[in-house]
Amino acid sequence: GERCTAVGTLVQQSRTAEIERSGLRQMVSSTSPKIYIVGTCRRFTQTNSRTYEWLIVKGKMEPTWDGKDIQLNPYDINITEHEERKDTAPEKRVELHLHTTMSSMDALTVTGKVVAQAAAWGHKAIAITDHGVMYGCIDFYKAAKAAGIKPIIGCEVYVAPGSRFEKTKSSEAGADHLVLLCENEQGYKNLITLVSKGFTEGFYGKPRVDAELLRAHHKGLIALSACLAGKIPRKLSAGDYAAAKQ
């Protein structure tokens, strides 16, 4: 119920409103447009040459009828100038935790577009770390090479709390996230083995590896603590600093 301001756009037609953000389009059946995706959106008209306008949308945030989403009910819309985002940092960052459309239900990032953006911002390298899979690595590698930046192959794997062969409801829910990056060719081969065995041996809801596999195939790999679902972040979130440090 909080009031907020979103920089974005929308277009109202007779019966539908079409909203586009980062390649995602959502049709809303309403004569009073509801923005389900709050943030930067693009407005376009249905002509042969698309016309784009940027708007500042003010409205009230409310849950949808089914309670599963949040919608913005606009009460004030104004056209505004827009400047594309720039990376002005003197020392450029390197994205080491990145999901693409290959991370099912978790990302809308199109590989070619994100690599091109990183190159445009002057980034020297970029990593791919999709959830449990390496489907997008070849396209990512080719796109990075074509853009002239260094591709870092990786994966955010699911680590079973016990054995990967233990397949119970509790073992599925307790899987930790772990980002693995390839340091060299040996690491790439080991990552392929880990991801493959996650499917052929450890799959239960998700492709899972375990401590045994990580010990056997860790050479040439660099591990990161991952997101809030990683083992270390979970310990820190629970206030157990000693366990996280261990």
Side-chain angles (χ1 to χ4, degrees):
E2 296 182 358
R3 296 184 180 274
C4 72
T5 300
V7 178
T9 64
L10 67 123
V11 57
Q12 182 176 356
Q13 300 172 352
S14 59
R15 294 186 178 180
T16 63
E18 185 169 290
I19 300 162
E20 181 182 275
R21 180 179 185 271
S22 301
L24 174 66
R25 296 178 186 176
Q26 185 164 350
M27 298 301 295
V28 183
S29 297
S30 173
T31 55
S32 175
K34 296 181 175 64
I35 297 180
Y36 287 80
I37 306 164
V38 180
T40 301
C41 308
R42 286 189 175 182
R43 168 189 177 183
F44 58 87
T45 57
Q46 298 296 326
T47 61
N48 292 333
S49 59
R50 289 183 173 181
T51 302
Y52 290 86
E53 291 178 349
W54 294 89
L55 308 177
I56 294 180
V57 182
K58 296 180 181 180
K60 186 176 181 181
M61 297 297 298
E62 295 177 329
T64 55
W65 66 272
D66 56 4
K68 294 182 179 180
D69 295 293
I70 299 296
Q71 66 190 23
L72 174 64
N73 291 316
Y75 59 77
D76 186 52
I77 303 174
N78 294 293
I79 297 176
T80 186
E81 296 295 325
H82 174 75
E83 184 178 348
E84 294 292 339
R85 291 180 60 188
K86 298 177 181 178
D87 184 349
T88 58
E91 294 185 12
K92 303 302 182 183
R93 69 195 297 270
V94 174
E95 183 59 66
L96 297 178
H97 188 168
L98 174 71
H99 298 297
T100 74
T101 50
M102 295 298 105
S103 289
S104 179
M105 302 297 290
D106 195 59
L108 294 169
T109 310
V110 178
T111 300
K113 289 184 178 181
V114 72
V115 169
Q117 184 66 81
W121 282 345
H123 297 183
K124 302 301 182 184
I126 186 172
I128 181 172
T129 57
D130 281 317
H131 270 305
V133 301
M134 296 177 69
Y135 304 146
C137 288
I138 300 300
D139 288 341
F140 169 82
Y141 180 86
K142 290 179 178 179
K145 284 295 187 181
I149 64 176
K150 180 180 180 179
I152 302 173
I153 304 301
C155 181
E156 186 172 12
V157 299
Y158 299 99
V159 184
S163 170
R164 64 188 182 279
F165 297 108
E166 180 186 350
K167 299 179 180 181
T168 62
K169 194 66 177 178
S170 60
S171 67
E172 178 191 9
D176 295 313
H177 295 198
L178 181 69
V179 171
L180 299 175
L181 302 176
C182 300
E183 184 178 12
N184 48 39
E185 185 177 354
Q186 183 180 21
Y188 177 66
K189 292 179 179 179
N190 276 330
L191 186 60
I192 290 175
T193 299
L194 287 167
V195 171
S196 297
K197 287 185 178 294
F199 276 95
T200 61
E201 297 180 356
F203 192 91
Y204 186 69
K206 299 179 177 68
R208 307 171 308 149
V209 301
D210 59 11
E212 179 188 14
L213 280 178
L214 290 170
R215 282 193 294 267
H217 304 284
H218 70 277
K219 291 184 178 180
L221 292 171
I222 299 171
L224 306 180
S225 57
C227 59
L228 291 176
K231 191 169 186 178
I232 294 175
R234 277 179 169 172
K235 297 294 184 183
L236 291 174
S237 297
D240 195 347
Y241 178 78
K245 187 176 181 180
Q246 183 181 5

